[in-house]
Amino acid sequence: MASFKPIAIFLLVGLMLGASKAQLSPTFYAKSCPNVFKIVRAVVQKALATDARAGARLIRLHFHDCFVDGCDGSVLLVNQSGIVSELGARGNDNITGFNIVDNIKAALEKACPGIVSCADILAIASVESVYLSGGPYWEVQLGRRDSRTANLQGAIDGLPSPFENVSQLKDKFCRVGLDSTDLVALSGAHTFGRSRCQFFDRRLNVSNPDSTLDASYAAQLRRACARGRDTFVNLDPTTPDAFDKNYFTNLQSRFGLLGSDQVLFSTPGSDTVGIVNMFARSQQQFFNSFGQSMINMGNIKPLTGNKGEIRSNCRRLN
Ligand code: HEM
Ligand SMILES: *[C@@H]1O[C@H](CO)[C@@H](O)[C@H](O)[C@H]1NC(C)=O
Ligand SMILES: *[C@@H]1O[C@H](CO)[C@@H](O)[C@H](O)[C@H]1NC(C)=O
Ligand SMILES: *[C@@H]1O[C@H](CO)[C@@H](O)[C@H](O)[C@H]1NC(C)=O
Ligand SMILES: *[C@@H]1O[C@H](CO)[C@@H](O)[C@H](O)[C@H]1NC(C)=O
C-alpha cells in the first residue's frame, strides 16, 4: 500500500502542472457552438468520400502546427504582410489539406460566426479523421486561439525529418515535452496516408541494401519509384487507408516505409523497441496511447484567454 502513495501524489502534481500549462477544456464550445463536432465531422466525411487521404492530410497539419510554437494555427498562414509562412520549410514542402480546413471554417462561420479557432479546427478534424478511418476517439481539449505570427525558422529546426535516427527523433519530441511513448504512438499515424519517394528512396540503393528493409518490399518500392521521386506510395502497404495497428506489425517485418519509422524498431537497445512490440500486440493499447498522446501534443503551448485571435480566414490574419 505504502508504495502507492508517492505515485498518487506524483499523478496529482502531474495533473496540476498539466492544467496550469494548458487551460483547455473539452466543453469549451458547449454553449457558444454546441454542434462543433457534428459540423466538423460532416465536412471531413464529405472530403473522405472523394479523397481517401483527407484524414491523413488533416492530422498531419495538426502535428506540424503543434510542433512549431505550439498549436496556434501558425502552419496555416500563407505569406502576407508581416508574415513569412512556415510553408517554406522543407518539412512543410507541398503539405496539403488547406482546402478542407477552409471548408470546415466556412461551415463553422455559418453556424457560429467568430467563435471556433483554426487551431481548434485542426484538433477536432484530427479526432474525427482518425475515428472515421476506424481508429480511436479521444476527449479533445479545446479553447486554443490563433496566432498573429508564424515561425519559419522554428519549422525548419523543429519538424522531424524522415532521415533522422532515434536519438534525433526523441530529441525533437522531448523539446516539445513529448516522450518515447508519445513518439512511438504518434508515429502510428503513418498507418494511413502517403509519402513521396524522395523521402525514402535512399533506402532502395541496390549496391548498398538497407538491411532493415525487407528485400521484396524494397523491390516493390523500386518499381513504384521508377515513375519519379514525386511519386506517392502508401505509408502502410497492408491497409493503406485504415487506422489500425498494422503500422507496428509492419515494423516488426521490416515493412516500415520511412527510415524514421523503421529505426523505432530496428535500433538495438532503444526504448522504442518494446513500445512498438506492445502496440503490435494490442490494438487497444495502441488506441488508448494514441488518444493520450494526441491530447499531450494538443497541449503544446496553446494561446488562451485574450492572446491571439479567432481568425475568420484560417490562412490570413484578421
Ligand atoms: C516521428 C517523426 C515524423 C516524421 C519524420 C514524419 C515524416 C513524414 C513524411 C516525410 C511524410 C510524407 C510527406 C510527403 O511525401 O509529402 C509524412 C506523412 C504523413 N505523416 Fe508524418 N512524420 C512524423 C510524425 C508524424 C506524426 C506525429 C503524425 C501525426 C500524429 C504524422 C502524420 C502523417 C500523416 C497522416 C502522413 C500522410 C499525409 C498525407 O497522406 O498527405 N507524422 N510524414
Ligand atoms: C514567402 O516569402 C519569402 C520571402 O519573403 C520567400 O523566401 C518564401 O519562399 C515564401 N514562401 C512561400 C511558401 O511562398
Ligand atoms: C510541389 O508542387 C508543385 C505544384 O503544386 C510541383 O510543381 C512541385 O514539383 C512539387 N514539389 C515537390 C518536391 O513535390
Ligand atoms: C544519431 O545521429 C547523430 C547525428 O548524426 C549522431 O551524433 C548520433 O550518434 C546518432 N545516434 C545513433 C543512436 O545512431
Ligand atoms: C548507392 O550506394 C553506393 C555504395 O555505397 C554509393 O557509392 C552510391 O553513391 C549510392 N547511390 C546513390 C544514388 O545514392
Side-chain angles (χ1 to χ4, degrees), residues 202 205-208:
R202 61 170 68 173
N205 188 336
V206 275
S207 43
N208 185 19

Side-chain angles (χ1 to χ4, degrees), residues 161-172:
S161 140
F163 310 120
E164 287 176 330
N165 63 34
V166 169
S167 12
Q168 294 168 309
L169 294 170
K170 280 170 70 167
D171 177 64
K172 292 249 165 100

Side-chain angles (χ1 to χ4, degrees), residues 173-190:
F173 276 66
C174 184
R175 278 191 238 164
V176 293
L178 300 177
D179 65 16
S180 295
T181 304
D182 296 314
L183 166 62
V184 177
L186 293 173
S187 294
H190 290 169

Side-chain angles (χ1 to χ4, degrees), residues 90 93-94 196 198 230:
R90 168 84 171 130
D93 178 60
N94 283 8
R196 277 166 286 173
Q198 56 182 291
D230 286 347

Side-chain angles (χ1 to χ4, degrees), residues 99-119:
N99 57 333
I100 314 169
V101 176
D102 289 344
N103 291 341
I104 296 171
K105 185 65 182 176
L108 288 172
E109 287 300 299
K110 215 162 149 192
C112 3
I115 298 294
V116 183
S117 68
C118 300

Side-chain angles (χ1 to χ4, degrees), residues 5-318:
K5 236 182 186 170
I7 293 174
I9 292 166
F10 215 76
L11 281 175
L12 192 65
V13 171
L15 283 172
M16 283 157 57
L17 281 174
S20 66
K21 200 166 59 187
Q23 299 166 308
L24 302 175
S25 140
T27 55
F28 189 81
Y29 298 112
K31 291 215 175 78
S32 57
C33 196
N35 291 324
V36 61
F37 284 91
K38 245 189 253 172
I39 293 166
V40 175
R41 181 179 302 193
V43 178
V44 174
Q45 203 151 24
K46 194 171 167 210
L48 276 168
T50 57
D51 170 18
R53 264 174 77 191
R57 299 181 204 274
L58 289 165
I59 193 173
R60 184 160 187 251
L61 278 175
H62 183 46
F63 160 48
H64 285 208
D65 183 25
C66 294
F67 264 59
V68 182
D69 290 353
C71 316
D72 60 0
S74 61
V75 70
L76 301 172
L77 293 171
V78 297
N79 271 352
Q80 59 202 275
S81 169
I83 295 286
V84 180
S85 171
E86 293 171 11
L87 301 178
R90 168 84 171 130
N92 282 332
D93 178 60
N94 283 8
I95 191 169
T96 54
F98 299 95
N99 57 333
I100 314 169
V101 176
D102 289 344
N103 291 341
I104 296 171
K105 185 65 182 176
L108 288 172
E109 287 300 299
K110 215 162 149 192
C112 3
I115 298 294
V116 183
S117 68
C118 300
D120 278 349
I121 286 176
L122 293 181
I124 300 171
S126 295
V127 77
E128 297 300 342
S129 295
V130 167
Y131 182 71
L132 291 170
S133 307
Y137 204 87
W138 58 93
E139 192 175 52
V140 185
Q141 301 288 315
L142 298 169
R144 302 170 189 82
R145 292 169 63 85
D146 298 320
S147 71
R148 295 190 44 80
T149 56
N151 184 354
L152 173 60
Q153 195 58 47
I156 293 168
D157 298 338
L159 293 174
S161 140
F163 310 120
E164 287 176 330
N165 63 34
V166 169
S167 12
Q168 294 168 309
L169 294 170
K170 280 170 70 167
D171 177 64
K172 292 249 165 100
F173 276 66
C174 184
R175 278 191 238 164
V176 293
L178 300 177
D179 65 16
S180 295
T181 304
D182 296 314
L183 166 62
V184 177
L186 293 173
S187 294
H190 290 169
T191 177
F192 63 179
R194 316 281 181 264
S195 171
R196 277 166 286 173
C197 291
Q198 56 182 291
F199 295 117
F200 58 83
D201 59 5
R202 61 170 68 173
R203 305 183 68 209
L204 306 179
N205 188 336
V206 275
S207 43
N208 185 19
D210 183 335
S211 63
T212 69
L213 183 63
D214 176 85
S216 65
Y217 183 41
Q220 179 192 323
L221 292 171
R222 261 179 227 115
R223 284 192 295 275
C225 293
R227 278 172 278 163
R229 302 190 76 214
D230 286 347
T231 306
F232 281 95
V233 313
N234 297 325
L235 277 158
D236 172 358
T238 58
T239 49
D241 299 321
F243 198 97
D244 56 26
K245 71 176 173 67
N246 288 17
Y247 171 80
F248 300 102
T249 49
N250 291 342
L251 297 184
Q252 290 177 321
S253 347
R254 296 182 298 138
F255 273 65
L257 183 64
L258 305 177
S260 54
D261 295 321
Q262 194 60 49
V263 293
L264 300 175
F265 180 74
S266 298
T267 305
S270 171
D271 64 351
T272 54
V273 178
I275 307 170
V276 170
N277 288 332
M278 172 174 71
F279 295 155
R281 219 179 300 125
S282 165
Q283 183 150 286
Q284 198 53 56
Q285 272 275 10
F286 167 46
F287 281 8
N288 291 343
S289 289
F290 189 80
Q292 185 54 59
S293 292
M294 285 298 290
I295 292 169
N296 296 345
M297 185 175 85
N299 279 339
I300 301 170
K301 275 176 56 184
L303 297 173
T304 56
N306 56 11
K307 297 198 191 102
E309 63 185 17
I310 306 296
R311 279 180 218 145
S312 50
N313 174 344
C314 290
R315 307 196 199 201
R316 315 198 72 90
L317 307 185
N318 287 343

